[in-house]
Amino acid sequence: ADTAMSSGNGGNGGGGAAATDTDRDGLSDDDETNIHGTDPNDPDSDNDGINDGDEITHGFDPNSNLGDNGASGDPDGDSVTNIVEINTTGTDPNDADSDDDSLLDGAEVNTYSTDPNDTDSDDDQLSDADEVNTHLTNPNLSDTDSDQLSDYAEINSHLTDPNDSDSDDDGLGDGTEVNTYTTNPLTADTSGDGFSDGFVVTQGADPLLSLIH
């Protein structure tokens, strides 16, 4: 009687007992036996390093470790193998660009070390693809040139060079000009007195005012 109660729907008024998943691969023993033909006592029936349940989820044959069904398969052609996409990066092995940011998963994982599941890895409001292909900034650093202005602010607000900490070469960093002195980070001599903003600051004077009286 105890055995009957522990399987099927017995003893719960027909509401259905939780399906047994002996090998904890995300597939019920019943489905493994009757639908997939996999081993309900082995979470990886084809021994390719990928869980049977994950293989079914992604449309792979859990009984074959060959070609696109196997660990080294790459059906989406993104240069990241199935086993890495499923077990490590959490990307879609059937989608070459899992986060749809115009950088292939392989490029993100193998070249740029960006997050292939996040369109903006450094959260600077610039997509990884735009940083890599358009602005040539570091997609893993929100402030590529370490001038205390984010790449986004430099490109969209101040029009400064996000790869040059001192866009006008006046001896003051772009962030210092914007945040401290409110000088123009694109003009070396904001006051037009013939002296660079950086030089004026070294003289203890206000770079917004002319040194010439």
Side-chain angles (χ1 to χ4, degrees):
D2 289 343
T3 300
M5 290 287 286
S6 65
S7 62
N9 296 324
N12 63 359
T20 301
D21 179 10
T22 300
D23 57 9
R24 298 184 180 182
D25 61 359
L27 301 173
S28 71
D29 291 355
D30 183 66
D31 284 353
E32 294 217 57
T33 302
N34 299 315
I35 298 176
H36 306 300
T38 46
D39 184 344
N41 295 298
D42 183 350
D44 180 13
S45 297
D46 57 6
N47 298 313
D48 63 357
I50 303 174
N51 180 291
D52 291 343
D54 287 334
E55 297 213 54
I56 293 297
T57 296
H58 294 291
F60 301 145
D61 183 349
N63 292 299
S64 172
N65 56 20
L66 302 176
D68 283 345
N69 291 296
S72 60
D74 183 17
D76 58 6
D78 62 359
S79 298
V80 185
T81 61
N82 290 336
I83 193 168
V84 172
E85 295 219 54
I86 293 172
N87 293 349
T88 303
T89 61
T91 44
D92 185 345
N94 293 300
D95 185 346
D97 181 10
S98 295
D99 57 7
D100 297 320
D101 65 354
S102 299
L103 286 181
L104 296 185
D105 294 343
E108 298 216 51
V109 171
N110 300 317
T111 303
Y112 303 111
S113 298
T114 46
D115 184 345
N117 294 297
D118 186 345
T119 59
D120 180 11
S121 296
D122 56 9
D123 297 321
D124 64 355
Q125 300 181 71
L126 300 173
S127 73
D128 294 341
D130 282 348
E131 296 217 52
V132 167
N133 297 322
T134 302
H135 307 300
L136 306 182
T137 46
N138 188 330
N140 291 301
L141 292 176
S142 61
D143 179 11
T144 297
D145 57 8
S146 301
D147 63 357
Q148 307 308 308
L149 293 177
S150 73
D151 294 341
Y152 179 88
E154 297 216 54
I155 292 166
N156 294 289
S157 298
H158 308 296
L159 306 183
T160 46
D161 184 345
N163 293 296
D164 184 347
S165 62
D166 182 7
S167 296
D168 57 7
D169 297 319
D170 63 356
L172 294 178
D174 294 341
T176 300
E177 296 216 53
V178 169
N179 300 320
T180 303
Y181 298 109
T182 66
T183 46
N184 187 336
L186 294 170
T187 301
D189 178 12
T190 299
S191 67
D193 61 0
F195 299 99
S196 72
D197 295 339
F199 175 77
V200 174
V201 168
T202 65
Q203 302 306 301
D206 185 343
L208 292 172
L209 302 176
S210 175
L211 275 181
I212 301 173
H213 300 292

